[in-house]
């Protein structure tokens, strides 16, 4: 039997449990115009204040259901046009791409899509990015005073046993999917096997990677940019040793992925759903992402945190974010190369 741990098809057990809740919970005979049902792949802690502000500003109530983006995508694929969901808010473009590819998303209002650069929205207008995050190398300057700024630079002998990563993390797997797009499956496998030979240290998540770098347990780590800024906000800059190394222009390791939003074709309240999607690229929501989560705002006119280099200077690799939906093949490749074991 093929060992598939797909976030889409592999979440079926979770989906079935959630479907039981769906069936008894929220499908009213007539969906009120002032309420939308949101399937959120972003955590309640992160987005609840934003949802409250949306309701205060628009009068539209939000019934939010939370799970991982992969689980939510799997549920939507299972429910099809029977879903009670109006909107899907995803942590990453891959989950949105999977739902869009299944034909479940409606075109967004053109002005909503046009609020961000075309590289951060679906070419068919079915989803739009609302905040961005760059992959970086977080490093300990005491242990790595001259860190590499390319993924191939990580393969130098001096870094053997000194690199931390989170193999089950969605952003790592999105990076590997992007690597497959850029270098092909054979090229990606070649790099992964060379990386495995570096004896990288596996951690549960990006927070653990960041903390291991900051404490000197490892010299380098592969994470998203904002984890360092979260630590600085919590402890103060003087108490943080780790620093971010943004990747060289075009390097696969510098993928800029997005959290994004799509409206379901079968949305009971399509007008409210479109208003919610539009709200997320308006100034108040974009400032929320910039100031509260240290992510990159994607709409013009809102600047990121002063700690971060402007998004326009990063020059990420040329990857169509819609192509990041093939996580299943990525996970199987990670298993086959020994970098993912559960």
């Amino acid at each position: 039997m093929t060992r598939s741990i797909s976030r889409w098809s592999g979440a079926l057990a979770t989906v079935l449990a959630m479907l039981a809740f769906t069936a008894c919970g929220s499908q009213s005979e007539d969906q009120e115009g002032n309420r939308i049902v949101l399937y959120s792949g972003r955590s309640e802690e992160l987005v609840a204040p934003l949802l409250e502000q949306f309701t205060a500003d628009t009068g539209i109530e939000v019934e939010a259901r939370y799970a991982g983006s992969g689980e939510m995508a799997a549920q939507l694929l299972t429910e099809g046009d029977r879903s009670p969901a109006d909107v899907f808010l995803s942590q990453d473009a891959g989950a949105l791409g999977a739902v869009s590819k299944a034909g479940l998303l409606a075109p967004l209002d053109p002005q909503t899509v046009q609020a961000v650069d075309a590289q951060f929205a679906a070419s068919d207008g079915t989803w739009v990015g609302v905040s961005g995050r760059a992959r970086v190398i977080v490093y300990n300057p005491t242990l790595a005073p001259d860190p590499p700024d390319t993924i191939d630079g990580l393969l130098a002998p001096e870094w053997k046993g000194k690199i931390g990563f989170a193999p089950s993390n969605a952003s790592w797997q999105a990076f590997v999917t992007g690597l497959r797009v850029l270098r092909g499956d054979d090229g990606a496998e070649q790099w992964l096997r060379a990386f495995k030979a570096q004896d990288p240290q596996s951690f549960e998540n990006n927070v653990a990677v960041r903390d291991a770098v900051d404490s000197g347990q490892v010299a380098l780590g592969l994470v998203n940019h904002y984890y360092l800024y979260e630590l600085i906000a919590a402890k103060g800059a003087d108490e943080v040793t780790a620093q971010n190394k943004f990747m060289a222009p075009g390097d696969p390791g510098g993928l800029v992925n997005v959290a994004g939003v799509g409206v379901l074709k079968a949305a009971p309240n399509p007008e409210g759903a479109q208003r919610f999607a539009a709200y997320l690229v308006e100034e108040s929501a974009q400032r929320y992402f910039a100031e509260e989560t240290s992510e990159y705002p994607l709409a013009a006119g809102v600047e990121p945190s002063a700690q971060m280099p402007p998004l326009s200077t990063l020059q990420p690799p040329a990857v169509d974010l819609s192509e990041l939906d093939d996580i299943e093949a990525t996970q199987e490749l990670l298993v086959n190369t020994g970098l993912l074991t559960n």
Side-chain angles (χ1 to χ4, degrees):
M1 178 184 292
T2 301
R3 285 191 65 187
S4 172
I5 46 177
S6 165
R7 290 188 299 163
W8 322 132
S9 57
L12 198 50
T14 302
V15 168
L16 293 175
M18 295 176 76
L19 280 173
F21 173 78
T22 297
C24 65
S26 72
Q27 190 83 290
S28 61
E29 292 184 2
D30 52 346
Q31 177 101 22
E32 295 183 23
N34 67 340
R35 182 174 69 89
I36 60 172
V37 175
L38 171 68
Y39 280 17
S40 178
R42 310 211 74 181
S43 71
E44 182 173 7
E45 179 182 12
L46 178 66
V47 301
L50 184 59
L51 302 185
E52 292 171 3
Q53 189 60 50
F54 169 75
T55 297
D57 290 345
T58 67
I60 301 172
E61 298 288 338
V62 181
E63 179 185 330
R65 304 179 187 183
Y66 298 96
S69 293
E71 293 173 347
M72 282 303 188
Q75 181 168 355
L76 287 167
L77 293 173
T78 301
E79 292 174 339
D81 60 9
R82 298 175 295 105
S83 178
D86 293 291
V87 186
F88 178 34
L89 177 61
S90 175
Q91 175 72 14
D92 68 272
L96 286 163
V99 177
S100 178
K101 185 179 289 185
L104 298 177
L105 296 183
L108 294 171
D109 291 339
Q111 56 268 41
T112 299
V113 178
Q114 293 163 9
V116 308
D117 190 280
Q119 66 180 309
F120 301 126
S123 58
D124 63 0
T126 55
W127 60 261
V128 66
V130 299
S131 63
R133 57 187 183 278
R135 295 289 291 173
V136 299
I137 295 174
V138 62
Y139 68 99
N140 187 306
T142 302
L143 303 176
D146 187 22
D149 63 357
T150 67
I151 61 170
D152 293 325
L154 292 170
L155 306 180
E158 63 191 287
W159 306 121
K160 187 168 186 177
K162 299 178 181 179
I163 306 168
F165 79 122
S168 62
N169 180 262
S171 58
W172 157 262
Q173 293 180 11
F175 149 66
V176 175
T177 307
L179 183 62
R180 292 175 49 227
V181 171
L182 292 165
R183 295 187 177 180
D185 286 349
D186 290 344
E189 181 174 356
Q190 182 180 5
W191 185 85
L192 289 168
R193 292 194 181 280
F195 182 70
K196 169 68 173 174
Q198 287 289 75
D199 189 26
Q201 304 303 299
S202 173
F203 293 89
E204 182 178 358
N205 53 43
N206 283 332
V207 170
V209 173
R210 175 203 66 192
D211 292 347
V213 171
D214 190 60
S215 67
Q217 183 179 346
V218 292
L220 309 171
L222 293 165
V223 299
N224 293 330
H225 77 275
Y226 53 81
Y227 286 96
L228 176 65
Y229 303 125
E230 287 180 354
L231 187 64
I232 290 172
K235 297 177 62 175
D238 292 343
E239 299 299 318
V240 176
T241 300
Q243 298 180 28
N244 275 345
K245 183 73 172 182
F246 286 81
M247 308 299 278
D251 189 79
L255 178 72
V256 174
N257 202 346
V258 299
V261 65
V263 170
L264 278 301
K265 276 185 180 178
N269 184 356
E271 293 82 9
Q274 291 284 355
R275 181 67 190 93
F276 180 77
Y279 185 85
L280 294 185
V281 293
E282 292 172 1
E283 183 176 357
S284 60
Q286 291 291 291
R287 289 197 181 281
Y288 178 88
F289 291 124
E291 296 170 3
E292 299 300 324
T293 70
S294 296
E295 294 175 280
Y296 279 102
L298 297 181
V302 180
E303 297 299 322
S305 165
Q307 306 173 87
M308 294 153 50
L311 184 59
S312 60
T313 68
L314 298 186
Q315 301 180 56
V319 174
D320 181 346
L321 296 179
S322 295
E323 296 185 49
L324 300 182
D325 66 304
D326 190 13
I327 297 295
E328 180 174 4
T330 291
Q331 292 171 328
E332 291 177 349
L333 178 58
L334 290 169
V335 170
N336 291 337
T337 54
L339 289 167
L340 185 63
T341 58
N342 54 31

